[in-house]
Amino acid sequence: MYKYDNYDQQMVDARVEEFRGQAKRRLEGKLTEDQFKPLRLMNGLYLQLHAYMLRVAIPYGTLNSAQMSALGDIADKYDRGYGHFTTRQNIQYNWIKLEDAADILADLSKVEMHAIQTSGNCIRNISSDHFAGATHDELVDPRPYAELLRQWSSFHPEFTYLPRKFKIAVIAAEKDRAAMRLHDIGIQIVKNDAGEIGARFFVGGGMGRTPMIAPMIRDFVPLDQLVTYAEGCLRVYNRYGRRDNKYKARIKILVHELGAEEYTRQVEEEFAHLLDQGVEPPRPELERLKPFFADPPFEDGPKTVDRSDPDFALWVDRNTHRHKHDSYVSAVISLKPVGGIPGDATGEQIRTMARLAKQYSFDELRVMHTQNIVLPHVKIADLHALWTELDAAELGAPNLDTIEDIIACPGLDYCALANARSIPLAQRISERFDKSGKTAELGELKLKISGCINACGHHHAGHIGILGVDKKGKENYQLSLGGSEAEDVSLAKITGPGFDEDGVIEAVETVTDVYIAQREDGERFLDTYRRIGMSPFKEALYGK
Amino acid sequence: MGNDSFDSEAGSLGVSPDEVQFRFRDDEVADHGTVTVDACCDQTNATAVRIEPGDDARALLPFLDRLALVEVNFPTFGDGRGYSAARILREAGYTGELRAVGDVLIDQLSHMRRCGFDAFAPDKRLDEEDAVKAFATWDNVYQSAADGRKTIQELRHE
Ligand code: SF4
């Protein structure tokens, strides 16, 4: 994985010092809270319901065991003993004291980490495929490109006060595991007919209150123009994105209002101009980055496991992903124990995962946007030993991509913007389906819960989505069906009137029953929904 | 930047309606009031113009030769359109004074400088010491911008 050189380290250290100065000036009264707010936000510090929340960047979700271990230590030292992995492939701490913030940032910088641009109206941490560099089905490893863009987007002088936050995802497989088309910019690394590698640009996707799927605006940008093209996309947005209404300020609204064609025309014009400005990093830089992501020294070994222990066999079936080397797999550590808080891990668990990564996965881990952790390169021969240790640490839940693998935002338990709680709902649903044993029967089923319209829980992209709303001062939940964030991307549709907490749990059960009754061979919930449409589900939920 | 001449007499230079607190130029301060972008395009003799956030900086490109001062107004510091306006003017070869005016604060100075601003007239005077530190925030930079600095990527491959 990428290692900082002196320049990178200097940049982060400069930012830590800058933030110390800013915090000091705030305390001295030289900065008003209004002036300080965007500065602390740009350093990942939010004010939540009960305390400050600090969000730490994990570029493209990749980290090593020393970094993971440091995250565990921070949970113990500065938080209440746990951290929360987010849908942005980041980690956040919910119980931080303002006076500790600069020290935490200094601790992070010792392991080449930071909280830079994890919030604020700037280009946020870049996300990617959590199986990058390991999976059997990718064209190339997308991370060198993501790293190139990370450097470009860090402290960008022109794009630090954008109309709104800006999220970029980079993938390099046909399978989309990063919700790429639901980003402000989604980049897919592709090969053209001439056999050259380049970048396909999708711009203007997003969730939030107006979900949109990003249209493709360029099918091939040569690699030595990648940064320049991104700069063109951003400049048009910075100049013309709406600033009169923060709910209409994301780039998706600009692309939608102008039309994809007109937006593209403007970008192409800006791009043509920028090509003469020399904004592209020198080409050797990309070549410098690639070896950081080179394959570790894989060895041949057994290609199958002993399935005599059914619990282990189930975990292998559910929680491993095919690797590009046939003696390895990528193993997913579920942070969704039945009845647990999705994405939470204790300091101890975080350190355990770090240790296991060192022992079994060439020192590497990934954070998934589904709030789980990946050990990307595990020898098939080591799987049983790994699973035994995970199980002992209560990290062995065999439920990847099942109805128990719920994405839930922090909701009303933490978030100042929430209308309703999401965590207890996730806990109750996973308990219920675990108890009834229906989880296995339902197969792949993506359930996503957001506590308000901001959609941090990606409910628009859930096969089943739940949105918390406020109905005359009471928590109420809207159910939606048919969303997907994958390569078959689609937005979920609302079933009808909302439910109270018990009601929505019943409703989830009801729609899964419709699926079981109606499904044809090999169909997932999503496939059945797409085939039969909304009405059978509506009928079951609300009667005729 | 090594060759920046940071005017130590900062603070007494303001002659136009905005008081210039920091200036990185050696030439005479332009002492004429600014006109709007629209007026500048209609009027053939204006030499100083003021860009508001909604203005298209490119409308000025035909007149760059005669302009000695362009002010870019930041009514609120969170409105970042002025950064693009500045770079666009520098990219087009404008070499006159580019002055940031309005809600210009300490923590925006380093980025503004990178985008090509070489004069600063904040609504509220800034603490000199904090400002000097702010201008020097970045020993090196990741992006090529209007200040002509070599990027980290260029330095790596020299
Ligand atoms: S979706 Fe709403 S409630 Fe949930 S984390 Fe985001 S802002 Fe908070």
Side-chain angles (χ1 to χ4, degrees):
Chain A
M1 55 178 279
Y2 186 63
K3 251 199 103 18
Y4 281 4
D5 65 1
N6 287 338
Y7 291 117
D8 297 307
Q9 188 66 49
Q10 234 175 43
M11 293 301 283
V12 174
D13 291 346
R15 173 46 78 85
V16 173
E17 275 321 296
E18 188 189 37
F19 184 66
R20 257 188 217 288
Q22 289 163 346
K24 183 159 163 272
R25 276 183 284 126
R26 173 74 189 105
L27 291 171
E28 292 167 354
K30 286 182 182 167
L31 284 174
T32 66
E33 175 54 24
D34 272 358
Q35 292 166 348
F36 181 58
K37 186 176 163 192
L39 306 175
R40 67 168 161 73
L41 284 179
M42 256 172 264
N43 289 286
L45 204 60
Y46 279 83
L47 190 54
Q48 294 284 63
L49 275 183
H50 315 289
Y52 278 98
M53 180 268 273
L54 180 75
R55 185 183 290 153
V56 177
I58 301 175
Y60 32 92
T62 294
L63 71 176
N64 64 28
S65 43
Q67 293 173 323
M68 187 74 164
S69 207
L71 295 179
D73 292 344
I74 288 171
D76 286 341
K77 192 163 154 197
Y78 302 103
D79 197 288
R80 297 186 175 174
Y82 53 90
H84 179 74
F85 290 94
T86 78
T87 52
R88 290 295 304 156
Q89 296 179 294
N90 287 337
I91 186 170
Q92 57 195 41
Y93 299 101
N94 285 314
W95 301 99
I96 293 302
K97 294 195 202 71
L98 181 55
E99 52 268 36
D100 286 338
D103 289 336
I104 303 176
L105 295 183
D107 282 7
L108 286 169
S109 97
K110 286 181 201 142
V111 288
E112 304 184 3
M113 296 188 90
H114 57 72
I116 295 159
Q117 292 174 211
T118 55
S119 51
N121 293 337
C122 52
I123 305 173
R124 301 288 187 86
N125 186 42
I126 292 179
S127 57
S128 185
D129 186 338
H130 45 252
F131 293 135
T135 184
H136 65 101
D137 60 358
E138 72 186 2
L139 178 66
V140 290
D141 190 331
R143 292 172 303 164
Y145 310 98
E147 172 58 27
L148 194 71
L149 291 166
R150 179 194 73 80
Q151 293 182 23
W152 162 74
S153 61
S154 297
F155 321 111
H156 198 295
E158 187 177 338
F159 305 134
T160 299
Y161 296 94
L162 295 168
R164 207 62 182 87
K165 59 188 169 183
F166 203 91
K167 301 176 181 179
I168 301 177
V170 186
I171 67 170
E174 283 303 320
K175 266 215 161 295
D176 180 3
R177 288 172 282 256
M180 181 270 288
R181 289 186 70 191
L182 297 172
H183 280 74
D184 296 289
I185 293 183
I187 295 174
Q188 184 186 357
I189 304 296
V190 294
K191 198 181 248 178
N192 67 8
D193 293 338
E196 298 152 343
I197 304 280
R200 183 171 286 167
F201 271 69
F202 298 84
V203 181
M207 298 201 228
R209 64 185 63 211
T210 325
M212 305 245 183
I213 295 168
M216 183 176 76
I217 69 156
R218 183 57 118 84
D219 66 350
F220 192 87
V221 176
L223 285 184
D224 54 2
Q225 300 175 349
L226 177 65
V227 164
T228 310
Y229 200 81
E231 185 124 341
C233 293
L234 261 300
R235 179 175 284 177
V236 172
Y237 172 55
N238 190 43
R239 300 186 74 206
Y240 298 111
R242 287 181 61 170
R243 293 175 187 262
D244 58 326
N245 177 344
K246 82 174 209 186
Y247 299 118
K248 300 202 158 135
R250 294 290 290 269
I251 195 175
K252 62 192 173 187
I253 303 293
L254 176 68
V255 173
H256 183 73
E257 287 181 353
L258 286 177
E261 211 169 303
E262 172 58 17
Y263 172 75
T264 307
R265 189 192 63 75
Q266 295 188 17
V267 169
E268 290 291 336
E269 212 172 273
E270 196 65 64
F271 172 61
H273 159 74
L274 286 169
L275 278 177
D276 296 331
Q277 299 299 326
V279 298
E280 193 70 27
R283 184 59 200 264
E285 178 62 8
L286 193 53
E287 302 311 317
R288 183 187 78 91
L289 295 176
K290 283 181 187 165
F292 287 108
F293 302 95
D295 284 348
F298 296 127
E299 290 165 8
D300 283 333
K303 299 175 189 359
T304 54
V305 294
D306 174 358
R307 301 178 60 89
S308 52
D309 178 343
D311 289 343
F312 171 59
L314 180 67
W315 181 81
V316 171
D317 290 344
R318 290 236 181 99
N319 286 37
T320 62
H321 178 81
R322 193 172 142 203
H323 199 274
K324 61 184 174 190
H325 191 293
D326 60 4
S327 305
Y328 288 77
V329 290
S330 299
V332 177
I333 303 173
S334 168
L335 298 183
K336 318 286 175 70
V338 171
I341 298 177
D344 268 18
T346 65
E348 195 53 50
Q349 285 178 322
I350 295 172
R351 281 188 296 272
T352 299
M353 293 188 272
R355 179 174 58 76
L356 294 174
K358 188 158 202 166
Q359 195 173 347
Y360 296 116
S361 183
F362 295 101
D363 205 34
E364 212 180 303
L365 306 99
R366 311 289 175 76
V367 182
M368 299 170 75
H369 82 273
T370 54
Q371 307 179 283
N372 296 311
I373 303 293
V374 179
L375 301 184
H377 315 293
V378 179
K379 247 189 206 159
I380 290 174
D382 288 339
L383 272 178
H384 193 270
L386 170 65
W387 172 76
T388 308
E389 294 214 46
L390 287 174
D391 206 38
E394 289 176 47
L395 291 166
N399 55 14
L400 184 69
D401 290 339
T402 68
I403 193 163
E404 295 170 21
D405 185 10
I406 299 168
I407 291 186
C409 78
L412 202 51
D413 293 293
Y414 295 101
C415 178
L417 304 170
N419 287 324
R421 291 164 304 151
S422 355
I423 291 170
L425 208 56
Q427 292 171 312
R428 287 184 60 190
I429 291 173
S430 72
E431 276 167 356
R432 180 173 179 134
F433 281 86
D434 173 65
K435 209 173 269 158
S436 72
K438 246 163 100 178
T439 301
E441 197 179 351
L442 293 171
E444 182 186 314
L445 209 172
K446 301 193 176 178
L447 175 64
K448 302 179 198 275
I449 308 173
S450 303
C452 82
I453 197 146
N454 288 319
C456 305
H458 298 182
H459 65 278
H460 300 298
H463 298 180
I464 299 176
I466 297 175
L467 166 65
V469 293
D470 177 274
K471 201 176 165 195
K472 300 191 190 104
K474 274 208 161 132
E475 292 169 75
N476 194 266
Y477 296 93
Q478 278 178 358
L479 188 71
S480 54
L481 304 176
S484 169
E485 67 209 347
E487 59 286 354
D488 60 352
V489 59
S490 59
L491 299 171
K493 289 204 174 64
I494 296 174
T495 55
F499 306 89
D500 64 12
E501 185 178 330
D502 290 338
V504 80
I505 294 173
E506 281 304 327
V508 169
E509 179 99 44
T510 305
V511 296
T512 59
D513 286 341
V514 173
Y515 158 65
I516 289 172
Q518 304 251 12
R519 70 176 161 195
E520 291 179 355
D521 271 358
E523 272 184 348
R524 303 169 300 165
F525 178 91
L526 182 63
D527 305 321
T528 303
Y529 168 83
R530 284 177 176 167
R531 180 173 53 79
I532 68 178
M534 182 63 95
S535 4
F537 294 96
K538 259 192 157 153
E539 259 166 47
L541 286 168
Y542 306 104
K544 298 222 174 171
Chain B
M1 249 179 126
N3 59 359
D4 274 344
S5 57
F6 182 55
D7 202 312
S8 55
E9 292 295 287
S12 56
L13 299 174
V15 278
S16 74
D18 305 290
E19 198 173 315
V20 176
Q21 192 183 354
F22 307 104
R23 195 164 185 273
F24 296 82
R25 304 178 64 88
D26 296 329
D27 57 354
E28 287 285 300
V29 176
D31 60 353
H32 15 241
T34 54
V35 301
T36 64
V37 169
D38 281 349
C40 178
C41 297
D42 296 342
Q43 216 171 299
T44 50
N45 56 352
T47 58
V49 62
R50 181 181 182 112
I51 299 182
E52 297 296 334
D55 292 335
D56 178 5
R58 289 204 164 100
L60 296 176
L61 298 193
F63 317 110
L64 290 185
D65 284 351
R66 69 167 200 236
L67 291 175
L69 168 65
V70 177
E71 289 186 343
V72 178
N73 187 27
F74 291 84
T76 64
F77 71 89
D79 187 330
R81 285 177 281 187
Y83 295 84
S84 290
R87 271 187 80 186
I88 283 168
L89 293 175
R90 290 303 189 204
E91 285 164 3
Y94 174 66
T95 55
E97 178 170 337
L98 190 51
R99 187 184 295 171
V101 306
D103 195 16
V104 174
L105 306 170
I106 292 285
D107 296 285
Q108 285 75 45
L109 295 176
S110 68
H111 284 335
M112 286 180 170
R113 190 79 187 92
R114 296 221 58 218
C115 288
F117 288 104
D118 54 11
F120 300 84
D123 279 346
K124 284 205 197 87
R125 280 190 71 79
L126 303 176
D127 184 298
E128 299 277 325
E129 208 183 308
D130 291 340
V132 171
K133 256 194 238 155
F135 281 120
T137 304
W138 310 112
D139 284 343
N140 289 293
V141 296
Y142 277 130
Q143 311 81 5
S144 109
D147 53 0
R149 295 176 70 174
K150 269 200 183 147
T151 65
I152 286 172
Q153 295 85 354
E154 284 164 336
L155 293 170
R156 278 177 182 144
H157 300 284
E158 274 195 330

